[in-house]
Amino acid sequence: MRSILSLFIILNNNGVEASHKVYQKFQSLSAVKVDQLHRTGFHFQPPKNWINDPNGPLYYKGLYHLFYQYNPKGAVWGNIVWAHSVSKDLINWEPLDPAIYPSKPFDINGCWSGSATILPGNKPIILYTGIDPDNRQVQNYAIPANLSDPYLREWIKPDDNPIVVPTNDMNASAFRDPTTAWFTDGHWQMVVGGRRKRRGIAHLYRSKDFKYWVKAKHPLHTSQNTGMWECPDFYPVSMSSKIGLDTSVNGQNVKHVLKVSLDLTRYEYYTIGTYNLDLDRYIPDSGLKDGWTGLRYDYGNFYASKTFYDPLKHRRILWGWANESDAQLDDVKKGWAGIQTIPRKVWLDPSGKQLVQWPVEELESLRGNKVEKSNVKLKKGDHVEVEGITAAQADVEVTFSFQSLDKAEEFDPSWSNAKDLCGQKGSNVQGGVGPFGLLTLASQNLEEFTPVFFRIFKAPTKHVVLLCSDATSSSLGEKLYKPSFAGFVDVKLDNKKLSLRSLIDHSVVESFGEGGKTCITSRVYPTLAVLDNAHLHLFNNGSETITVENLSAWSMNRPLMN
Ligand code: DQQ
């Protein structure tokens, strides 16, 4: 905590914000050759260069649109434009020319993140942050030049921009990333992320015509000591179904979600709560925490996420950016950096206490060769290889069961940080019930492997389930960030079963514990466990025997990817 605060002070004092560090030397250095070794097979990425936040996802006339922050000139952050791709199925992507790029005074120094709203009459409009000649962050709108083009190739930035500017009492370099707007009480409302001193702020604005915006008397929500709130997202979820809701829906059976991306920690958190129209405020449910100890979509490498409502399949879909975990120079050398995670359907868990996420069903169209296993016993120390699939590019679903929880290790109540606990109790540290799970991207003799595993502890009144995705042994390479990412899984264990799905794709392992209750994305760079030399194992290192009830694993085909 103290180190985070001092980091805050350092950042605050020299005015440099971690997310937008400019590497002058590299930002316009074109790749001579794009290194293919760790590029993903089925995750979203352009052929080369740097990408970050997903922007303005939307569905229009039969096509899904994804815009994203992109450096057309190099493999580090800089020269940012809104790149644009379209897809019929969220899996195969066709690239288009950038939709929004600096060209006018209100965005001449940058076109940063934002969101799309579909206005009545099926008219998309984009709100985004422009950096003006004084380096102030201002909010602009852009509209399609031709609504009869389902590709929405050309976007116009009218001259009555900017539509929202920071007032003198506001921090003009901490005022960005407008949300999708929602309609309520005869007005459009939207939120812009911000910060006052150490307080994170969701600034609330209101408009009748989408052009003249007035700041509300108070923010939609704020929280002390959380720093800058980047990329806020605010949307309704149904309390009784997995069906997604359009952003303006509110009422009896509806809760709201507020997600923010914390520039200080580079983690996101969300709360579930009530959008109180009388107070004009969002109020998180009691017991849910604002800040970096709160709930997260993903306990790994996942940032600047954004959801949108898909009217075709009545679902809410979440996109997130997974940054590289290698060094800046590696990115310059390989000529590319950043991927988007697989789009996930997101809904409220029946408990009402958390969200649940699952890869969109369209991903299954890429499944090729399949291998199945059932009723495999894993005793302490056992490793069973899953053969017959391309282990470097695979989709794996597995259900584990155990007879008893008697052997579960004692849980020390001071273990509040899942990541630290996973760092302490890795896959090689023997336990009682667990560690058990998958060894992904494993080399022949296990010099390299990325384990994704459960470990169950006994606390005085309940069991505590830990899910880890541990990059510590993922690579023999140097200067890599190799975190032991982990999250707790809120599950009852009455049926003594736990499920896991991992999407393995060369340099990314995206995992969904217990049907998507706890998700973790890791970026890894094996040197031996690459291409056909990558292996997949089941393992158990706990004294309780684990049964693999069912395992289905598929080789994944490559979609059209930009
Ligand atoms: N990235 C954008 C900002 C946003 C940040 C700039 C989050 O608009 O706050 O590329 O990663």
Side-chain angles (χ1 to χ4, degrees), residues 3 56 67 137 166 171 173 200 236 238 257 280 407 458 476 507 544:
S3 61
F67 307 88
Q137 297 176 359
N171 183 341
S173 67
S238 165
V257 175
D280 216 9
K407 296 179 187 147
K458 203 184 308 175
L476 297 177
S507 62
E544 173 72 22

Side-chain angles (χ1 to χ4, degrees), residues 27 38 62 136 154 302 318 396 437 455 516 530:
Q27 69 165 344
H38 292 119
R136 288 187 318 162
E154 202 188 325
F302 186 92
L318 169 70
V396 188
R455 188 169 202 128
V530 294

Side-chain angles (χ1 to χ4, degrees), residues 214-395:
V214 176
K215 195 170 176 194
K217 277 202 198 86
H218 50 72
L220 183 71
H221 188 56
T222 76
S223 182
Q224 186 59 276
N225 285 332
T226 49
M228 174 64 194
W229 283 5
E230 296 189 312
C231 301
D233 196 12
F234 183 61
Y235 58 90
V237 282
S238 165
M239 289 169 74
S240 54
S241 124
K242 292 183 175 181
I243 287 176
L245 301 177
D246 206 346
T247 312
S248 297
V249 173
N250 199 355
Q252 279 288 302
N253 206 22
V254 172
K255 299 290 295 186
H256 272 77
V257 175
L258 177 66
K259 182 277 311 184
V260 299
S261 308
L262 298 180
D263 195 21
L264 269 182
T265 57
R266 307 302 285 164
Y267 292 144
E268 308 191 309
Y269 81 89
Y270 69 84
T271 52
I272 297 158
T274 305
Y275 175 32
N276 185 318
L277 289 176
D278 297 330
L279 298 176
D280 216 9
R281 278 186 202 274
Y282 164 75
I283 300 159
D285 286 351
S286 74
L288 295 185
K289 291 190 198 107
D290 273 311
W292 41 79
T293 55
L295 291 168
R296 288 169 53 189
Y297 285 138
D298 191 300
Y299 291 84
N301 185 335
F302 186 92
Y303 196 69
S305 70
K306 191 170 296 292
T307 64
F308 76 106
Y309 174 67
D310 170 14
L312 183 66
K313 295 202 173 174
H314 308 287
R315 54 190 172 172
R316 185 161 283 274
I317 296 175
L318 169 70
W319 282 103
W321 161 50
N323 196 0
E324 301 303 306
S325 292
D326 58 4
Q328 225 81 39
L329 265 182
D330 295 329
D331 296 344
V332 173
K333 256 191 249 156
K334 68 193 208 285
W336 62 275
I339 61 168
Q340 306 295 350
T341 53
I342 297 298
R344 305 171 179 178
K345 178 173 157 164
V346 56
W347 67 94
L348 186 65
D349 184 65
S351 70
K353 287 202 250 158
Q354 68 162 102
L355 297 171
V356 186
Q357 302 154 69
W358 199 245
V360 292
E361 60 191 12
E362 288 87 337
L363 182 68
E364 291 159 32
S365 66
L366 295 179
R367 287 174 170 175
N369 194 31
K370 180 179 183 185
V371 166
E372 283 178 289
K373 285 187 186 293
S374 58
N375 203 21
V376 180
K377 303 278 177 214
L378 297 173
K379 295 215 191 72
K380 183 160 123 188
D382 280 354
H383 279 234
V384 173
E385 180 159 4
V386 180
E387 286 172 294
I389 54 155
T390 54
Q393 196 174 302
D395 182 355

Side-chain angles (χ1 to χ4, degrees), residues 16 21 47 54 90 165 284 349 354 426 432 449 478 489 494 546 558:
V16 176
K21 194 156 184 215
L90 291 162
V165 296
D349 184 65
Q354 68 162 102
F449 55 94
E478 283 164 13
V489 193
D494 291 344
I546 301 296
R558 278 174 188 267

Side-chain angles (χ1 to χ4, degrees), residues 155-167:
W155 289 77
I156 297 171
K157 303 178 296 186
D159 284 328
D160 52 357
N161 274 308
I163 45 170
V164 176
V165 296
T167 47

